[in-house]
Amino acid sequence: MLNNLQATTTLHNGVKMPWFGLGVYKAQDGDEVIQAVKIAIKNGYRSIDTAALYNNEEGVGQAVSEAMEETGLSREDLFITSKVWNADQGYESTLAAFELTMTKLGLEKLDLYLVHWPVNGKYKDTWRALEQLYKDGRVHAIGVSNFHVHHLQDLMKDAEIKPMVNQVEYHPRLAQLELSTFCKEQDIQLEAWAPLMQGKLLDNATLQEIASKHGKSIAQVILRWDLQNGVVTIPKSTTEHRIIENADVFNFELSAEDMEQINGLNENLRNGPDPDNFNF
Ligand code: NAD
């Protein structure tokens, strides 16, 4: 039941992943990220999304450790995601990058490890490393990020293990209809990055109308739309009242008509790079 912040979706390997989490892209390592993660966990969040690229894995690890001590939660209660950065892709280099990530996080095991972007010519070797880490029990689930349908199809031709998650840019202006259908068919959990379009949708009139009707904020309406579409969501904030506000989406429901109106905002419009055309 999708009725609280600890609610989970079951990935195709049986691992339970929270529907809702905190993103920490651009949260400064040190105090900023530590405070944000601790505030989130104390307010019921169980999932944190970081990456080697974000340069804040140490702070995330420290926050997780302090939050467990202060709340009595155990490691199994939390779901930590990180990602291998593009420069580290390849088999051996991914294994090494994983160890560095784990040292920085101060964790024995990771819940979810993702291939951050589909680097041409490399992502299959990177995937073999993730499969090895999974078989070795170092990570409970493995997945990809920024993969189009054709990237997934290509990966799965040679993969032993199908990705459990695909984390992509996803918001009302970029509803990813084809990818979403494909992932549902394949039992690959779709996860939204930039669910709030990095702040660019927060003055939209259609969303404001729906928000007012429900006595909710635009951010809450968008995040609820993610959940009702079966998409895991990880909005980023380092501000206490927003961290709390964003997660307060389990006590209302968008009607079929609201959902249709929001679906109508789709323009296949990206805020970030197209995974078919990035140069980093
Ligand atoms: P987002 O859509 O979550 O937007 C974050 C911005 O919105 C921040 O500036 C924040 O201050 C603002 N905001 C948050 N809540 C608000 C509220 N209630 N009211 C007003 N403003 C609010 O964008 P994001 O951070 O890019 O994406 C979320 C997470 O997804 C990231 O933190 C990261 O963990 C992940 N991510 C992954 C990738 C990838 O390639 N896999 C890329 C980008 C982000």
Side-chain angles (χ1 to χ4, degrees):
M1 280 289 281
L2 225 180
N3 57 7
N4 65 66
L5 187 46
Q6 289 92 45
T8 54
T9 173
T10 303
L11 305 179
H12 73 65
N13 66 337
V15 163
K16 292 185 184 324
M17 174 178 191
W19 281 107
F20 203 98
L22 181 76
V24 296
Y25 179 44
K26 291 194 174 156
Q28 285 285 321
D29 201 16
D31 226 38
E32 186 174 62
V33 81
I34 293 170
Q35 289 316 317
V37 170
K38 285 177 73 173
I39 286 166
I41 295 174
K42 285 182 181 172
N43 283 285
Y45 284 64
R46 295 292 175 263
S47 169
I48 309 294
D49 181 86
T50 185
L53 177 78
Y54 305 167
N55 234 330
N56 57 20
E57 289 169 313
E58 285 185 22
V60 168
Q62 186 180 330
V64 163
S65 150
E66 289 179 13
M68 287 195 298
E69 204 167 299
E70 290 166 28
T71 60
L73 288 170
S74 60
R75 175 66 187 88
E76 294 70 46
D77 297 322
L78 300 172
F79 191 98
I80 312 300
T81 300
S82 194
K83 317 182 189 87
V84 54
W85 183 239
N86 300 349
D88 291 322
Q89 287 205 32
Y91 185 77
E92 293 294 341
S93 43
T94 294
L95 294 179
F98 178 79
E99 292 310 328
L100 188 60
T101 276
M102 297 308 278
T103 303
K104 286 187 173 171
L105 286 168
L107 298 176
E108 287 292 310
K109 292 180 183 179
L110 197 63
D111 296 286
L112 177 63
Y113 199 42
L114 302 177
V115 181
H116 209 144
W117 286 84
V119 175
N120 267 328
K122 288 209 172 159
Y123 61 73
K124 289 192 185 185
D125 287 337
T126 307
W127 187 251
R128 274 199 303 119
L130 266 62
E131 289 178 328
Q132 191 58 50
L133 292 165
Y134 179 72
K135 286 189 254 179
D136 290 345
R138 299 296 306 284
V139 49
H140 297 309
I142 51 178
V144 295
S145 179
N146 299 302
F147 274 48
H148 284 317
V149 170
H150 74 85
H151 293 119
L152 287 167
Q153 285 170 328
D154 184 47
L155 185 78
M156 281 161 26
K157 268 195 285 184
D158 297 312
E160 246 184 273
I161 301 167
K162 189 165 68 170
M164 287 125 206
V165 171
N166 186 17
Q167 182 187 111
V168 299
E169 184 179 347
Y170 179 96
H171 43 68
R173 290 278 188 234
L174 180 66
Q176 301 271 21
L177 298 180
E178 186 203 357
L179 184 65
S180 174
T181 302
F182 181 82
C183 286
K184 275 200 185 110
E185 282 165 7
Q186 293 289 334
D187 205 6
I188 297 170
Q189 177 62 54
L190 201 64
E191 179 177 19
W193 69 252
L196 304 175
M197 207 183 176
Q198 299 179 333
K200 295 195 176 80
L201 276 171
L202 299 177
D203 57 358
N204 180 276
T206 305
L207 294 172
Q208 185 55 62
E209 199 183 307
I210 297 170
S212 303
K213 197 172 70 184
H214 290 280
K216 287 286 178 180
S217 68
I218 288 184
Q220 289 168 330
V221 165
I222 297 173
L223 298 166
R224 181 74 204 180
W225 174 80
D226 293 345
L227 300 177
Q228 288 185 216
N229 276 326
V231 176
V232 167
T233 193
I234 46 167
K236 181 247 178 174
S237 177
T238 52
T239 309
E240 179 161 19
H241 75 90
R242 286 179 174 165
I243 292 174
I244 295 169
E245 171 194 327
N246 288 346
D248 185 17
V249 293
F250 295 91
N251 52 6
F252 78 111
E253 193 162 0
L254 298 168
S255 66
E257 196 186 313
D258 297 333
M259 293 294 287
E260 270 316 301
Q261 259 187 297
I262 303 172
N263 293 343
L265 298 175
N266 184 31
E267 295 176 354
N268 298 321
L269 182 69
R270 287 175 192 279
N271 190 44
D274 184 333
D276 269 336
N277 186 20
F278 63 99
N279 60 357
F280 47 84

